[in-house]
């Protein structure tokens, strides 16, 4: 008889945002007269920029003509997009990344879940706590996390690096030596960042202990402070210890069109084996490439007009973040984030648990957020709001919260 992957049976409950969606749907069905404002999931609301729409239309027209039709994409992605990425995102920042180190995909979430395929199951994983759930869940599905200890809210083979108010919501170097280190800056869910010297410490540490850093830079477009690095490859030696994940979802609104990329430098090796070649093999075997029309749209954001229009969208969301931050502060909440990231991290009032505050906010203000405990044990007692709603709804949400 066939066997299943029993690691899936160890996963607690359902995916965080599926649980939230179910609770909100039940509330909405029972209160059809209520207008619910959703500031929970990190989905964008602005339409795609005009330059992106123009590129999509142009690419669709190409697909309708025999002489310009495109079939399967090149395994790594089209060179026109990879070249634009290298020139804009890396060479301009002094990072010597080459186009054959860039792998185009359908999003950073997919890559963060799939990257574990090229690593052995015996590797010890370290994550920030709170953490983006995909890092944990995908390793649990592979059998790399051990067993889930419900009372502690932790997996017994994972190294948790608490990110608390005392650490300025940034991790400290772990006491137990990991093999794989997941870092995300600007951070989801806390909105925290670290400076280039602080990130250099992590690179130096990884090189010293022989660890690999999986660096999620999905929110780099929201960085506003000069001392915050936009890529881990700004740090000396990072090309020998780090893989970087990037997304077009938040910087250009591609949550529905799906596009991202992963950088795996050729200098990154393990016992003489190139991780670049391993990822290339995995990529070519299990992925047939992002659609041509989407890659053309992605390339459009690197044009002068594309940069202008997408920066305007980022500024729109960051203005929402300012509205949320100031609105919560005025209401007496303890708040962080919202400066270099579109996420605001607040401490729940009156010793409420994260889920108690979720229910409280939904019932009293009809506002949806994300319980911090869903991101890990150190997230208990905290709550995340996103700046990806409309300005009107964001302002209305703050008025409702201030009135309760």
């Amino acid at each position: 008889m066939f066997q299943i992957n029993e690691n899936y049976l160890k996963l607690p409950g359902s995916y965080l945002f599926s649980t939230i969606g179910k609770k909100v749907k039940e509330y909405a069905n029972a209160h059809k007269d209520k207008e619910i404002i959703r500031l929970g999931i990190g989905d964008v609301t602005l339409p795609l920029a005009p330059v992106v729409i123009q590129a999509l239309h142009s690419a669709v027209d190409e697909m309708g003509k025999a002489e310009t039709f495109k079939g399967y994409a090149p395994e790594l992605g089209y060179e026109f997009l990879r070249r634009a990425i290298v020139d804009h995102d890396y060479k301009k920042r002094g990072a010597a990344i080459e186009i054959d180190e860039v792998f185009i995909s359908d999003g950073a979430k997919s890559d963060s879940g799939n990257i574990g395929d090229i690593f052995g199951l015996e590797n010890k994983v370290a994550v920030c706590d709170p953490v983006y759930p995909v890092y944990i869940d995908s390793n649990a599905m592979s059998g790399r996390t051990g067993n889930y200890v419900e009372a502690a809210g932790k997996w017994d083979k994972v190294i948790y690096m608490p990110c608390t108010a005392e650490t300025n919501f940034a991790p400290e170097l772990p006491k137990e030596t990991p093999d794989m280190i997941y870092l995300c800056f600007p951070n989801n869910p806390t909105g925290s960042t670290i400076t280039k010297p602080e990130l250099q410490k992590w690179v130096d540490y990884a090189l010293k202990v022989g660890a690999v850093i999986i660096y999620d830079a999905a929110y780099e477009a929201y960085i506003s402070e000069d001392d915050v690095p936009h890529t881990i490859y700004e740090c000396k030696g990072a090309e020998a210890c780090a893989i970087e994940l990037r997304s077009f979802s938040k910087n250009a609104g591609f949550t529905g069109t799906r596009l991202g990329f992963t950088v795996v430098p050729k200098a990154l090796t393990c016992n003489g084996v190139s991780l670049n070649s391993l990822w290339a093999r995995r990529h070519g075997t299990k992925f047939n490439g992002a659609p041509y029309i989407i890659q053309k749209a992605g390339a459009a954001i690197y044009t002068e007009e594309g940069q202008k229009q997408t920066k305007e969208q980022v500024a729109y969301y960051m203005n929402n973040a300012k509205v949320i931050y100031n609105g919560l502060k005025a209401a007496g909440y303890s708040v962080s984030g919202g400066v270099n990231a579109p996420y605001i991290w607040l401490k729940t009032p009156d010793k409420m648990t994260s889920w108690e505050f979720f229910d409280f906010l939904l019932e009293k203000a009809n506002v949806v957020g994300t319980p911090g405990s869903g991101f890990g044990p150190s997230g208990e007692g905290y709550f995340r709001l996103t700046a990806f709603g409309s300005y009107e709804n964001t302002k209305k949400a703050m008025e409702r919260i201030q009135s309760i």
Side-chain angles (χ1 to χ4, degrees), residues 118-131:
I118 65 173
F119 295 101
L121 298 184
E122 70 280 1
N123 284 309
K124 195 78 172 181
V125 174
V127 298
C128 296
D129 175 30
V131 62

Side-chain angles (χ1 to χ4, degrees), residues 272-295:
V273 177
S274 165
L275 269 67
N276 179 281
S277 65
L278 293 184
W279 186 242
R281 182 57 188 269
R282 193 268 174 209
H283 207 66
T285 300
K286 291 190 173 184
F287 184 61
N288 256 343
Y292 170 73
I293 61 173
I294 304 302
Q295 293 195 47

Side-chain angles (χ1 to χ4, degrees), residues 53-132:
I53 295 297
Q54 183 178 358
L56 285 170
H57 281 299
S58 176
V60 168
D61 289 340
E62 289 183 61
M63 296 295 280
K65 301 174 183 177
E67 60 270 23
T68 52
F69 172 79
K70 300 291 190 300
Y72 291 126
E75 287 189 359
L76 273 65
Y78 285 98
E79 185 173 338
F80 62 76
L81 177 55
R82 290 185 290 125
R83 175 61 65 190
I85 288 168
V86 166
D87 290 345
H88 182 274
D89 292 332
Y90 295 101
K91 289 193 173 180
K92 280 187 177 180
R93 301 194 181 282
I97 298 299
E98 301 299 330
I99 63 170
D100 58 354
E101 297 173 319
V102 176
F103 297 79
I104 305 301
S105 73
D106 59 354
K109 178 179 181 180
S110 299
D111 285 349
S112 64
N114 293 330
I115 197 67
D117 284 4
I118 65 173
F119 295 101
L121 298 184
E122 70 280 1
N123 284 309
K124 195 78 172 181
V125 174
V127 298
C128 296
D129 175 30
V131 62
Y132 179 46

Side-chain angles (χ1 to χ4, degrees), residues 127-131 153-154 160-164 171 190 372 375-380:
V127 298
C128 296
D129 175 30
V131 62
K154 296 181 178 182
Y160 288 84
M161 302 180 293
C163 299
T164 63
T190 67
F375 298 103
S378 290
E380 181 55 88

